[in-house]
Amino acid sequence: MASPTPKSKRTCSVSSPPRVVLFDAYPHLLGGAQRTLLAVASELVARGEPPTVVLPGDGALATAARARSIPVDVVPLPAVLTRFGRSTTGRHAVAAAAALPIAWARLRAAFLRSGAALVHAADHRGALLAAPAARAARLPVVWHVHSVDVEGRFVERTAGRLVGALVAPSAAALLALGAVP
């Protein structure tokens, strides 16, 4: 009889799906990452495990989730953390870094309030915001990377150390994330 193959630390086997929180840092968009989040949410609903979508603001994604009867928890974050379009530079970057502990505390409270057993964070900004909060709540994190065009590797190294699993859209994207531990 062959010996069983050891499982990687990044695999998980459960008899029933855990209660999932889906976090996206871009509530104002309804692009590919947000549509993927909605597809995951819809599949969980179909399997009898409705997730909660946690967002840092209202917008197109919240509207689309509510239209599918998916619960949405809007957790307002400090305004400096809701700057988009690569505009968090210079003094804004310093202010954003200083605001992170507030964001993590608010998100941690939301994750605990939801009764989640797992947090699914979309993209780099989502991982940077959700992963520390989830870890503080002692929840595993799945990081769903949709793009790999982030300058620098700090976020990838940091997120890679905080998440339990990584989902990449392709082998090429996974190779581009070479800095992830």
Side-chain angles (χ1 to χ4, degrees):
M1 180 176 208
S3 62
T5 305
K7 289 187 178 182
S8 162
K9 73 173 189 168
R10 296 201 181 237
T11 61
C12 175
S13 175
V14 292
S15 58
S16 65
R19 177 129 173 92
V20 176
V21 162
L22 301 170
F23 179 79
D24 192 291
Y26 299 96
H28 60 290
L29 297 177
L30 198 52
Q34 294 75 30
R35 291 180 192 284
T36 299
L37 180 143
L38 291 170
V40 169
S42 296
E43 182 61 26
L44 287 168
V45 168
R47 292 174 183 235
E49 291 290 333
T52 298
V53 173
V54 174
L55 303 170
D58 245 319
L61 180 53
T63 300
R66 289 182 185 119
R68 291 167 174 79
S69 300
I70 298 166
V72 175
D73 185 3
V74 173
V75 179
L77 300 184
V80 69
L81 294 175
T82 59
R83 295 175 58 96
F84 303 104
R86 300 183 193 273
S87 63
T88 306
T89 59
R91 67 181 172 84
H92 295 294
V94 172
L100 283 171
I102 295 166
W104 294 332
R106 290 178 186 173
L107 289 171
R108 177 186 178 274
F111 298 159
L112 291 172
R113 187 171 53 244
S114 74
L118 175 76
V119 175
H120 175 279
D123 277 327
H124 289 71
R125 181 186 292 248
L128 189 60
L129 290 170
R135 290 291 296 265
R138 299 188 186 275
L139 297 171
V141 182
V142 173
W143 180 22
H144 196 155
V145 178
H146 293 273
S147 63
V148 292
D149 65 344
V150 174
E151 294 176 22
R153 298 293 188 205
F154 171 76
V155 174
E156 291 169 359
R157 285 191 307 270
T158 302
R161 288 183 177 96
L162 294 171
V163 303
L166 172 72
V167 177
S170 68
L174 190 57
L175 286 173
L177 292 168
V180 175

